[in-house]
């Protein structure tokens, strides 16, 4: 980040456990801050929040209720989270202690989002190869992720070494890759 | 049940009735079936799994019916259902005559355990119980006095596809090739003189204790065996071997560039098995009661795993060399894989005891990379943490195999220089 950091933007927010900034549309971790006593790995979590907002957006569109001003609130057993899209470039996730009143969380979230809106740059739309996105999606959601690429290689006949460089796959190979990933995950199509 | 189970004590191979048999968990079973379907496609994969189930259930069922002096179809079908449940495969209710019939299944091992393991994260589009279909077809052939390999079976509903139960239709046809049998007599011809390895004074008493412990184990009211955190089956070794080796042969013909990947995945099924089943046994209170608390040292894990492998009927796995942190050499006079291969196909062109290879790799890793004293939960997340994220710190090579005509099978697992911890 050019000026300041995510940490600067949240250092006066009490009860905040972590912030994850996910770059869209590729759902890659852009920046984060995690309280030192937490054992969370930002890389493990950030991309899922991008997928969550994307799925939420599609759901709201299906209901004809989509609005850019939407945010997702998650109340789990031990964490209270706000997930919000920022300018289409980012998804920001704030994780608070569970016992903080929801109204207070929303107030803090609004302030932090305003600061981050000033702080975060506008991203150049990056056209990453579809095969790269498909492979990342597979490794994120496959039931046996350690074996997922081997399974694709076996199903498609594409050598494992080639699959490990998805950016170099040919068009027909990308189609084979996508079909096999859909089969492995039991999906009709991939929302990427 | 226990009266049908016999061991070949010098070689630690197991028979169930006249059929070579082993114990395996649902993690192994599901991963292996999945690999076969990945290799051949679902249609060809499930057909091979059905054919293998039917082929190897047939001698078991006819032998058991003869042993019990059964004569009527109803008695024989009832025995088949009891055996299936006793082996931990769930409940089958078979209604058949020479024109075909219907089968209802509940808690079938493959479909049910698939829904338990994967049902929340993957939508399955095809049924999972080809082994159950093969078993039901063989049961109807034996009960009705039909020719072997003459009854077909098709699973029309499956719990893995979120149906309330599993159903099958039986229909005459779907003839498979009559392949030479691989039963007790054929196995006996393939075994070579047995031998001992290091630490036998530790391994052999544990093996005996585990066998005594597992002797009375049979399916519960669901027809499932749930123990050590896994669903366990007493399974027909021929089923595993036929589907594995025929898949390799078919891929060699159609897509030779994919053989290496298939072999990797076959090894991985052994890896998955050791992590879940061996790990579950090692962490169990029963193990602590029988062997003692885990010390955190690698050697007791290695010796313990050799004993577990023997008790499960995998063969006399022995420790030929163990240099902690550096090297493990496992030797066996034969394995449930090699005796099958030699009997059915002759000499193998290269060492191909895939389960033995994957299992030994996993044993070395579990011995060195798991904090046993902390009693970790053997979850998928833990598995991913250990085995994802770059090359593994250990590698495996099978340098000798009785399937190739060597006098012994030998697997060498070594630490990779400069690898992560």
């Amino acid at each position: 980040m050019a000026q300041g950091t995510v940490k600067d933007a949240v250092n006066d927010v009490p009860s905040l456990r972590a912030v994850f900034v996910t770059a869209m549309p590729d759902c890659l971790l852009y920046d984060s801050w995690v309280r030192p006593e937490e054992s969370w790995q930002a890389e493990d979590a950030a991309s899922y929040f991008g997928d969550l907002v994307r799925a939420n957006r599609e759901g709201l569109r299906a209901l004809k209720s989509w609005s850019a001003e939407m945010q997702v609130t998650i109340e789990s057993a031990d964490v209270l989270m706000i997930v919000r899209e920022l300018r289409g470039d980012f998804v920001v996730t704030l994780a608070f202690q569970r016992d903080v009143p929801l109204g207070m969380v929303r107030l803090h979230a609004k302030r932090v989002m305003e600061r981050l809106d000033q702080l975060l740059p506008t991203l150049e739309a990056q056209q990453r190869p579809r095969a790269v996105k498909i492979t990342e999606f597979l490794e994120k959601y496959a039931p046996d992720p350690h074996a997922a690429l081997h399974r694709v290689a076996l199903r498609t006949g594409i050598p494992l070494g080639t699959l490990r460089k998805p950016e170099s796959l040919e068009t027909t190979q990308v189609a084979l890759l996508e079909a096999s990933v859909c089969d492995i995950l039991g999906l009709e199509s991939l929302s990427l | 049940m226990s009266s049908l189970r016999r061991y070949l004590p010098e070689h630690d191979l197991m028979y169930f009735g006249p059929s070579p048999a082993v114990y395996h968990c649902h993690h192994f079973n599901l991963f292996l079936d999945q690999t076969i379907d990945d290799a051949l496609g679902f249609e060809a994969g499930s057909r091979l799994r059905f054919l293998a189930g039917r082929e190897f259930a047939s001698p078991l069922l006819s032998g058991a019916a003869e042993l019990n002096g059964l004569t009527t179809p109803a008695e024989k079908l009832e025995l088949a259902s009891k055996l299936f449940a006793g082996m931990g495969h769930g409940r089958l209710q078979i209604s058949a005559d020479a024109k075909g019939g219907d089968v209802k299944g509940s808690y079938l091992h493959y479909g049910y355990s698939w829904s338990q393991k994967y049902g929340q994260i993957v939508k399955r589009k095809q049924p999972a119980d080809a082994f159950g279909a093969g078993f039901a077809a063989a049961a109807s052939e034996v009960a009705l006095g039909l020719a072997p390999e003459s009854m077909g079976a098709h699973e029309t509903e499956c719990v893995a596809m979120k149906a309330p139960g599993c159903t099958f239709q039986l229909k005459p046809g779907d003839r498979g090739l009559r392949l030479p049998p691989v039963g007790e007599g054929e196995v006996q011809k393939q075994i070579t003189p047995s031998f001992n390895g290091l630490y036998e004074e530790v391994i052999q008493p544990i093996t005996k204790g585990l066998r005594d412990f597992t002797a009375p184990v049979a399916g519960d009211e669901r027809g499932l065996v749930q123990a050590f955190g896994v669903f366990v089956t007493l399974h027909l070794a021929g089923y595993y071997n036929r589907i594995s080796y025929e898949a390799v042969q078919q891929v060699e013909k159609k897509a030779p560039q994919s053989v290496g990947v298939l072999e990797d995945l076959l090894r991985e099924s052994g890896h998955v098995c050791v992590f879940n089943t061996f790990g579950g046994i090692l962490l169990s209170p029963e193990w602590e009661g029988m062997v003692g608390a885990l010390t955190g040292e690698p050697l007791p894990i290695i010796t313990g795993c050799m004993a577990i492998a023997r008790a499960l009927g995998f063969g006399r796995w022995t420790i030929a060399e163990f240099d902690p942190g550096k090297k493990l050499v496992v030797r066996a006079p034969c394995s449930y894989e090699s005796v099958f291969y030699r009997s059915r196909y002759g000499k193998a062109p290269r060492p191909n005891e895939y389960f033995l290879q994957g299992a030994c790799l996993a044993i070395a890793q579990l011995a060195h990379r798991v904090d046993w004293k902390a009693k970790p939960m053997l979850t998928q997340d833990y598995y991913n943490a250990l085995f994802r994220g770059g090359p593994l710190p250990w590698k495996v090579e099978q340098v000798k195999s009785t399937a190739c005509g060597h006098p012994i099978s030998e697997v060498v697992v070594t630490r990779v220089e400069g690898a992560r911890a």
Side-chain angles (χ1 to χ4, degrees):
Chain A
M1 290 171 59
Q3 294 178 328
T5 63
V6 165
K7 185 181 176 184
D8 297 333
V10 300
N11 62 7
D12 62 342
V13 181
S15 308
L16 186 66
R17 298 173 65 184
V19 183
F20 308 106
V21 180
T22 307
M24 299 298 281
D26 292 324
C27 298
L28 299 173
L29 177 67
Y30 180 80
D31 202 348
S32 66
W33 170 82
V34 180
R35 196 173 285 283
E37 59 267 30
E38 301 289 353
S39 59
W40 294 337
Q41 296 295 318
E43 292 82 2
D44 292 347
S47 60
Y48 293 105
F49 298 123
D51 286 338
L52 172 69
V53 165
R54 182 156 49 203
N56 190 52
R57 186 199 303 146
E58 295 304 314
L60 288 173
R61 277 187 177 143
L63 298 175
K64 299 186 173 27
S65 295
W66 181 79
S67 152
E69 292 300 308
M70 60 101 176
Q71 68 182 24
V72 180
T73 304
I74 301 170
E75 299 178 54
S76 77
D78 59 358
V79 70
L80 209 161
M81 304 181 78
I82 299 287
V83 188
R84 187 183 176 97
E85 195 168 13
L86 207 59
R87 288 190 262 115
D89 290 333
F90 298 100
V91 165
V92 175
T93 305
L94 305 177
F96 289 89
Q97 290 174 13
R98 184 63 185 86
D99 55 359
V100 183
L102 190 55
M104 191 63 72
V105 165
R106 286 181 176 146
L107 183 65
H108 287 310
K110 186 169 184 298
R111 286 182 186 156
V112 171
M113 296 296 175
E114 286 169 358
R115 290 176 195 167
L116 288 176
D117 195 19
Q118 299 295 316
L119 203 64
L120 293 169
T122 302
L123 293 183
E124 292 282 326
Q126 188 187 10
Q127 282 300 322
R128 294 193 312 143
R130 185 165 180 79
V132 174
K133 295 182 191 175
I134 295 169
T135 306
E136 286 174 356
F137 192 84
L138 173 71
E139 292 185 335
K140 207 158 49 173
Y141 291 108
D144 297 310
H146 60 284
L149 218 52
H150 277 74
R151 295 187 61 198
V152 172
L154 186 54
R155 282 168 162 261
T156 62
I158 302 172
L160 200 54
T162 307
L163 285 171
R164 287 187 174 129
K165 297 174 186 165
E167 65 281 0
S168 62
L169 291 182
E170 296 169 6
T171 309
T172 51
Q173 291 176 319
V174 176
L176 284 171
L177 167 68
E178 186 156 0
S180 73
V181 170
C182 284
D183 279 347
I184 287 170
L185 299 177
L187 299 173
E188 298 299 327
S189 62
L190 302 180
S191 172
L192 296 173
Chain B
M1 280 293 296
S2 59
S3 65
L4 287 173
R5 191 184 76 161
R6 293 172 295 120
Y7 280 93
L8 197 57
E10 294 290 309
H11 292 79
D12 294 298
L13 296 172
M14 187 169 68
Y15 298 109
F16 188 58
S19 305
V22 290
Y23 287 103
H24 264 306
C25 70
H26 73 288
H27 296 285
F28 173 84
N29 289 337
L30 296 177
F31 197 91
L32 181 60
D33 269 22
Q34 172 184 278
T35 297
I36 302 309
D37 290 357
D38 283 342
L40 307 180
F42 174 75
E43 292 300 325
S46 67
R47 177 167 159 73
L48 174 57
R49 293 186 284 114
F50 162 74
L51 291 174
R54 185 175 68 179
E55 179 193 351
F56 290 99
S58 186
L60 167 67
L61 295 170
S62 54
E66 191 179 324
L67 189 70
N68 286 278
L70 305 182
T71 54
T72 69
E75 288 173 331
K76 292 178 181 176
L77 288 176
E78 187 183 347
L79 175 67
S81 296
K82 280 184 179 170
L83 285 175
F84 192 76
M87 294 164 73
H89 286 278
R91 297 274 170 196
L92 282 180
Q93 195 180 343
I94 306 168
S95 170
D97 58 27
K99 293 177 185 169
D102 299 303
V103 182
K104 288 183 180 173
S106 56
Y107 294 105
L108 299 191
H109 170 80
Y110 281 92
Y112 181 73
S113 66
W114 191 95
S115 66
Q116 293 289 303
K117 181 172 183 180
Y118 297 124
Q120 296 296 317
I121 44 179
V122 181
K123 181 182 176 186
R124 188 173 175 114
K125 297 175 183 172
Q126 295 103 1
D129 299 292
F131 175 74
F135 196 96
S140 63
E141 290 167 359
V142 169
L144 300 164
L146 305 174
E149 308 278 327
S150 64
M151 185 65 83
H154 173 63
E155 188 172 15
T156 50
E157 292 183 343
C158 179
V159 291
M161 299 164 70
K162 299 202 184 296
C166 295
T167 58
F168 303 82
Q169 284 186 338
L170 297 171
K171 195 176 172 186
D174 204 357
R175 291 183 178 274
L177 285 175
R178 292 293 299 274
L179 296 165
V182 186
E184 184 172 355
E186 290 73 25
V187 167
Q188 293 287 354
K189 289 178 191 167
Q190 299 305 328
I191 58 174
T192 49
S194 190
F195 51 81
N196 288 330
L198 303 173
Y199 310 110
E200 289 292 330
E201 71 283 3
V202 177
I203 296 169
Q204 290 189 16
I206 302 174
T207 305
K208 182 179 181 310
L210 284 169
R211 277 187 197 153
D212 292 344
F213 178 76
T214 55
V217 170
D220 59 17
E221 68 282 355
R222 300 169 298 176
L224 297 173
V225 177
Q226 196 164 5
F228 308 119
V230 297
F231 293 105
V232 183
T233 53
L234 174 57
H235 215 312
L236 303 169
Y239 174 80
Y240 297 130
N241 288 318
R242 180 176 173 185
I243 63 175
S244 299
Y245 291 125
E246 281 198 22
V248 171
Q249 289 165 351
Q250 290 188 37
V251 170
E252 279 174 336
K253 285 181 190 165
K254 293 179 183 172
Q257 78 279 10
S258 297
V259 170
V261 174
L262 172 56
E263 291 180 327
D264 281 348
L265 287 170
L266 292 173
R267 272 189 284 275
E268 173 61 23
S269 60
H271 207 273
V272 166
C273 167
V274 166
F275 174 82
N276 288 290
T277 304
F278 286 42
I281 293 172
L282 289 166
L283 287 168
S284 67
E286 291 85 356
W287 182 269
E288 189 166 335
M290 188 168 68
V291 182
L294 297 173
T295 63
E297 294 298 312
L299 182 58
I301 301 300
I302 304 282
T303 53
C305 286
M306 295 297 120
I308 293 168
R310 294 178 187 191
L312 298 181
F314 298 159
R316 173 153 295 198
W317 295 8
T318 69
I319 303 170
E321 185 183 340
F322 178 53
D323 187 355
K326 292 180 181 171
K327 189 177 187 184
L328 169 67
V329 180
V330 174
R331 289 184 186 149
C334 56
S335 68
Y336 78 83
E337 298 172 285
S338 68
V339 291
F340 178 93
Y341 193 94
R342 281 302 298 267
S343 176
R344 175 152 287 184
Y345 308 111
K347 275 189 187 177
R350 60 187 179 280
N352 61 358
E353 291 158 84
Y354 303 115
F355 175 75
L356 175 66
Q357 295 167 18
C360 289
L361 177 62
I363 288 168
Q365 301 210 69
L366 291 194
H368 293 90
R369 301 180 63 204
V370 172
D371 181 4
W372 294 99
K373 289 178 88 172
K375 294 191 180 264
M377 298 288 287
L378 300 177
T379 61
Q380 185 65 45
D381 284 344
Y382 189 48
Y383 192 91
N384 294 342
L386 282 176
F387 304 123
R388 280 189 81 193
L392 295 176
W394 292 80
K395 64 179 180 181
V396 64
E397 183 183 13
Q398 183 169 14
V399 295
K400 292 175 188 164
S401 173
T402 48
C404 300
H406 300 138
I408 61 168
S409 290
E410 180 174 312
V411 170
V412 181
V413 190
T414 47
R415 184 92 165 87
V416 178
E417 287 296 321
R420 66 195 166 111

